[in-house]
Amino acid sequence: MAIPEKDLKLVRKLFEDKDERIPERIRLGNHFVDDFIFEDQEAADIPINALRVIFNIISIISSEQFRPEDRPKQLSLFDQEFETENNIFASIKIRNSKISPSGSTKQVIEAYEFLARFKMGWYKSVNSKGKEIRTFGGLISTPSYDERGYTNFLISSYWLKKLMIIPEYNYILYNLVYNIRNNKHIIFAIWLSKLPEGGTTMKLSSLNKKFGLNYKTANDFCFKFLKTAKINFNKYNTLSFNYHYKGDSIFIHPFYNKMVSGTDMSEHTAEKSKIAKRLYYFQKRYGLGQREMLQFSYQYKTIPQTRQLIEKAFGEFIRMNRLNGTKSTNYQGTAFLNKIQELILQLYRETKMGEILPNGYPVIL
């Protein structure tokens, strides 16, 4: 399909791998993870060197990543720069040794070829003014080697938006893609970072499908895949996990391991304690049963941005009751959650993200 002249690529910004500083961790936006790595809940089989490209793209643009809630003006600037015309791109340059530390030109070429072809197609997004913007390509386009030791390529505004604008994100250690050679272990680590604190239970068939594996029994999955992943994570990652199985059901429970510094661990523990006390307060004061707490506590514990929105909605709930001379405790159980949900929806739709994704508000019941 020939691209009309009006749709030819327009390069608006140059990102360059100037800094020799190695970041400790990077922020992976959940929208990018869900759409690029786990489309339809199944993990893509992305080679390790291609994962290194992705990690380095995020490292290079990290200073420009932002939550729209925190920096609404930055969202407007992104629109002006990248979402006014079709086929707008940014140019990125990465040192080849960061993709193949062994110096293999073949590995570098294969990594960029994979990302150029993977999910190649037309993509569309809608800017803050409601205009539809279209771009063509994969995650990257037209890799070239204009400077010895580096690769230049383009990244479309569609994927750049998912990497830069991160209303919800999780941290992942940058060096994982260098310390762990198994690409499926890296993808599993990304998935693990999104799990709720209480873990998850999944059928063997679901886990095989999710990660593109073919183990015959839960025992094989645990001891041939999970055991080796856990060994790697215990050694190289701040987040590891325990596991066990019963029949064909496999339980996976994430935990922070001893790689976390004493300060980080104490801060993490204090934050967990504070969250637990707050949830206990809501449960007792507003008569929330176990079933009512399930979704509410998951949303409150797992996603910091949602927790802030819940607290803001609760503050508005208290203010409205005081104005009306009503006791807030008149609302119990589902009635309380319904009221908070109404306020969450109202507050969310007043934000920039609410304008872009009007139905993207968190659901607490």
PDB file of all heavy atoms in Angstrom, residues 89-106:
ATOM      1  N   PHE A  89       6.686  11.358  13.881  1.00  0.00           N
ATOM      2  CA  PHE A  89       7.609  10.443  14.551  1.00  0.00           C
ATOM      3  C   PHE A  89       8.645  11.217  15.360  1.00  0.00           C
ATOM      4  O   PHE A  89       8.859  12.409  15.148  1.00  0.00           O
ATOM      5  CB  PHE A  89       8.348   9.577  13.519  1.00  0.00           C
ATOM      6  CG  PHE A  89       7.480   8.547  12.851  1.00  0.00           C
ATOM      7  CD1 PHE A  89       6.557   8.924  11.886  1.00  0.00           C
ATOM      8  CD2 PHE A  89       7.582   7.211  13.172  1.00  0.00           C
ATOM      9  CE1 PHE A  89       5.751   7.982  11.262  1.00  0.00           C
ATOM     10  CE2 PHE A  89       6.783   6.253  12.560  1.00  0.00           C
ATOM     11  CZ  PHE A  89       5.874   6.647  11.606  1.00  0.00           C
ATOM     12  N   ALA A  90       9.280  10.496  16.291  1.00  0.00           N
ATOM     13  CA  ALA A  90      10.485  10.983  16.952  1.00  0.00           C
ATOM     14  C   ALA A  90      11.639  10.110  16.479  1.00  0.00           C
ATOM     15  O   ALA A  90      11.445   8.938  16.126  1.00  0.00           O
ATOM     16  CB  ALA A  90      10.343  10.897  18.471  1.00  0.00           C
ATOM     17  N   SER A  91      12.829  10.676  16.458  1.00  0.00           N
ATOM     18  CA  SER A  91      14.025   9.926  16.082  1.00  0.00           C
ATOM     19  C   SER A  91      14.813   9.582  17.342  1.00  0.00           C
ATOM     20  O   SER A  91      14.976  10.424  18.228  1.00  0.00           O
ATOM     21  CB  SER A  91      14.887  10.767  15.136  1.00  0.00           C
ATOM     22  OG  SER A  91      16.114  10.105  14.873  1.00  0.00           O
ATOM     23  N   ILE A  92      15.273   8.342  17.413  1.00  0.00           N
ATOM     24  CA  ILE A  92      16.038   7.885  18.585  1.00  0.00           C
ATOM     25  C   ILE A  92      17.321   7.228  18.109  1.00  0.00           C
ATOM     26  O   ILE A  92      17.357   6.525  17.087  1.00  0.00           O
ATOM     27  CB  ILE A  92      15.208   6.902  19.441  1.00  0.00           C
ATOM     28  CG1 ILE A  92      13.964   7.593  19.990  1.00  0.00           C
ATOM     29  CG2 ILE A  92      16.034   6.327  20.589  1.00  0.00           C
ATOM     30  CD1 ILE A  92      13.112   6.740  20.907  1.00  0.00           C
ATOM     31  N   LYS A  93      18.400   7.455  18.859  1.00  0.00           N
ATOM     32  CA  LYS A  93      19.699   6.861  18.541  1.00  0.00           C
ATOM     33  C   LYS A  93      20.206   6.101  19.765  1.00  0.00           C
ATOM     34  O   LYS A  93      20.259   6.647  20.859  1.00  0.00           O
ATOM     35  CB  LYS A  93      20.695   7.951  18.129  1.00  0.00           C
ATOM     36  CG  LYS A  93      22.070   7.413  17.763  1.00  0.00           C
ATOM     37  CD  LYS A  93      22.909   8.442  17.017  1.00  0.00           C
ATOM     38  CE  LYS A  93      23.424   9.517  17.940  1.00  0.00           C
ATOM     39  NZ  LYS A  93      24.406  10.405  17.259  1.00  0.00           N
ATOM     40  N   ILE A  94      20.573   4.826  19.575  1.00  0.00           N
ATOM     41  CA  ILE A  94      21.043   3.981  20.678  1.00  0.00           C
ATOM     42  C   ILE A  94      22.388   3.355  20.308  1.00  0.00           C
ATOM     43  O   ILE A  94      22.586   2.894  19.169  1.00  0.00           O
ATOM     44  CB  ILE A  94      20.027   2.865  21.008  1.00  0.00           C
ATOM     45  CG1 ILE A  94      18.701   3.448  21.495  1.00  0.00           C
ATOM     46  CG2 ILE A  94      20.571   1.903  22.072  1.00  0.00           C
ATOM     47  CD1 ILE A  94      17.623   2.415  21.779  1.00  0.00           C
ATOM     48  N   ARG A  95      23.265   3.298  21.272  1.00  0.00           N
ATOM     49  CA  ARG A  95      24.572   2.659  21.089  1.00  0.00           C
ATOM     50  C   ARG A  95      24.367   1.144  20.879  1.00  0.00           C
ATOM     51  O   ARG A  95      23.665   0.485  21.648  1.00  0.00           O
ATOM     52  CB  ARG A  95      25.431   2.909  22.325  1.00  0.00           C
ATOM     53  CG  ARG A  95      26.893   2.547  22.152  1.00  0.00           C
ATOM     54  CD  ARG A  95      27.613   2.725  23.483  1.00  0.00           C
ATOM     55  NE  ARG A  95      27.575   4.102  23.935  1.00  0.00           N
ATOM     56  CZ  ARG A  95      28.489   5.023  23.614  1.00  0.00           C
ATOM     57  NH1 ARG A  95      29.506   4.692  22.824  1.00  0.00           N
ATOM     58  NH2 ARG A  95      28.396   6.253  24.080  1.00  0.00           N
ATOM     59  N   ASN A  96      24.994   0.591  19.855  1.00  0.00           N
ATOM     60  CA  ASN A  96      24.814  -0.829  19.534  1.00  0.00           C
ATOM     61  C   ASN A  96      25.272  -1.763  20.647  1.00  0.00           C
ATOM     62  O   ASN A  96      24.707  -2.842  20.840  1.00  0.00           O
ATOM     63  CB  ASN A  96      25.549  -1.180  18.237  1.00  0.00           C
ATOM     64  CG  ASN A  96      24.919  -0.545  17.011  1.00  0.00           C
ATOM     65  OD1 ASN A  96      23.748  -0.161  17.035  1.00  0.00           O
ATOM     66  ND2 ASN A  96      25.689  -0.408  15.940  1.00  0.00           N
ATOM     67  N   SER A  97      26.297  -1.357  21.390  1.00  0.00           N
ATOM     68  CA  SER A  97      26.820  -2.219  22.459  1.00  0.00           C
ATOM     69  C   SER A  97      25.798  -2.418  23.577  1.00  0.00           C
ATOM     70  O   SER A  97      25.895  -3.375  24.352  1.00  0.00           O
ATOM     71  CB  SER A  97      28.112  -1.625  23.035  1.00  0.00           C
ATOM     72  OG  SER A  97      27.874  -0.339  23.571  1.00  0.00           O
ATOM     73  N   LYS A  98      24.803  -1.526  23.653  1.00  0.00           N
ATOM     74  CA  LYS A  98      23.758  -1.709  24.664  1.00  0.00           C
ATOM     75  C   LYS A  98      22.737  -2.759  24.240  1.00  0.00           C
ATOM     76  O   LYS A  98      21.991  -3.266  25.074  1.00  0.00           O
ATOM     77  CB  LYS A  98      23.057  -0.375  24.949  1.00  0.00           C
ATOM     78  CG  LYS A  98      23.940   0.597  25.716  1.00  0.00           C
ATOM     79  CD  LYS A  98      23.163   1.783  26.226  1.00  0.00           C
ATOM     80  CE  LYS A  98      24.040   2.647  27.130  1.00  0.00           C
ATOM     81  NZ  LYS A  98      23.319   3.814  27.656  1.00  0.00           N
ATOM     82  N   ILE A  99      22.707  -3.073  22.958  1.00  0.00           N
ATOM     83  CA  ILE A  99      21.796  -4.097  22.460  1.00  0.00           C
ATOM     84  C   ILE A  99      22.497  -5.446  22.397  1.00  0.00           C
ATOM     85  O   ILE A  99      21.923  -6.475  22.743  1.00  0.00           O
ATOM     86  CB  ILE A  99      21.243  -3.720  21.063  1.00  0.00           C
ATOM     87  CG1 ILE A  99      20.703  -2.280  21.086  1.00  0.00           C
ATOM     88  CG2 ILE A  99      20.195  -4.715  20.603  1.00  0.00           C
ATOM     89  CD1 ILE A  99      19.726  -1.983  22.215  1.00  0.00           C
ATOM     90  N   SER A 100      23.760  -5.424  21.988  1.00  0.00           N
ATOM     91  CA  SER A 100      24.563  -6.651  21.973  1.00  0.00           C
ATOM     92  C   SER A 100      25.913  -6.367  22.632  1.00  0.00           C
ATOM     93  O   SER A 100      26.859  -5.942  21.965  1.00  0.00           O
ATOM     94  CB  SER A 100      24.781  -7.152  20.537  1.00  0.00           C
ATOM     95  OG  SER A 100      25.650  -8.273  20.536  1.00  0.00           O
ATOM     96  N   PRO A 101      25.998  -6.584  23.938  1.00  0.00           N
ATOM     97  CA  PRO A 101      27.266  -6.323  24.636  1.00  0.00           C
ATOM     98  C   PRO A 101      28.429  -7.131  24.069  1.00  0.00           C
ATOM     99  O   PRO A 101      29.598  -6.726  24.191  1.00  0.00           O
ATOM    100  CB  PRO A 101      26.967  -6.753  26.087  1.00  0.00           C
ATOM    101  CG  PRO A 101      25.486  -6.589  26.218  1.00  0.00           C
ATOM    102  CD  PRO A 101      24.931  -6.971  24.875  1.00  0.00           C
ATOM    103  N   SER A 102      28.141  -8.259  23.412  1.00  0.00           N
ATOM    104  CA  SER A 102      29.202  -9.083  22.820  1.00  0.00           C
ATOM    105  C   SER A 102      29.723  -8.502  21.516  1.00  0.00           C
ATOM    106  O   SER A 102      30.713  -8.972  20.965  1.00  0.00           O
ATOM    107  CB  SER A 102      28.682 -10.500  22.569  1.00  0.00           C
ATOM    108  OG  SER A 102      27.668 -10.484  21.570  1.00  0.00           O
ATOM    109  N   GLY A 103      29.028  -7.479  20.991  1.00  0.00           N
ATOM    110  CA  GLY A 103      29.465  -6.832  19.752  1.00  0.00           C
ATOM    111  C   GLY A 103      28.983  -7.510  18.492  1.00  0.00           C
ATOM    112  O   GLY A 103      29.542  -7.278  17.407  1.00  0.00           O
ATOM    113  N   SER A 104      27.936  -8.327  18.593  1.00  0.00           N
ATOM    114  CA  SER A 104      27.425  -9.046  17.417  1.00  0.00           C
ATOM    115  C   SER A 104      26.526  -8.142  16.579  1.00  0.00           C
ATOM    116  O   SER A 104      25.443  -7.751  17.006  1.00  0.00           O
ATOM    117  CB  SER A 104      26.641 -10.285  17.871  1.00  0.00           C
ATOM    118  OG  SER A 104      25.906 -10.818  16.796  1.00  0.00           O
ATOM    119  N   THR A 105      26.996  -7.820  15.372  1.00  0.00           N
ATOM    120  CA  THR A 105      26.184  -7.011  14.449  1.00  0.00           C
ATOM    121  C   THR A 105      24.910  -7.748  14.077  1.00  0.00           C
ATOM    122  O   THR A 105      23.834  -7.146  13.943  1.00  0.00           O
ATOM    123  CB  THR A 105      26.991  -6.687  13.183  1.00  0.00           C
ATOM    124  OG1 THR A 105      28.182  -5.991  13.552  1.00  0.00           O
ATOM    125  CG2 THR A 105      26.187  -5.824  12.217  1.00  0.00           C
ATOM    126  N   LYS A 106      25.002  -9.080  13.941  1.00  0.00           N
ATOM    127  CA  LYS A 106      23.841  -9.898  13.583  1.00  0.00           C
ATOM    128  C   LYS A 106      22.737  -9.771  14.640  1.00  0.00           C
ATOM    129  O   LYS A 106      21.563  -9.623  14.313  1.00  0.00           O
ATOM    130  CB  LYS A 106      24.278 -11.355  13.437  1.00  0.00           C
ATOM    131  CG  LYS A 106      23.165 -12.314  13.031  1.00  0.00           C
ATOM    132  CD  LYS A 106      23.745 -13.708  12.771  1.00  0.00           C
ATOM    133  CE  LYS A 106      22.657 -14.697  12.341  1.00  0.00           C
ATOM    134  NZ  LYS A 106      21.760 -15.073  13.436  1.00  0.00           N
TER     135      LYS A 106
END
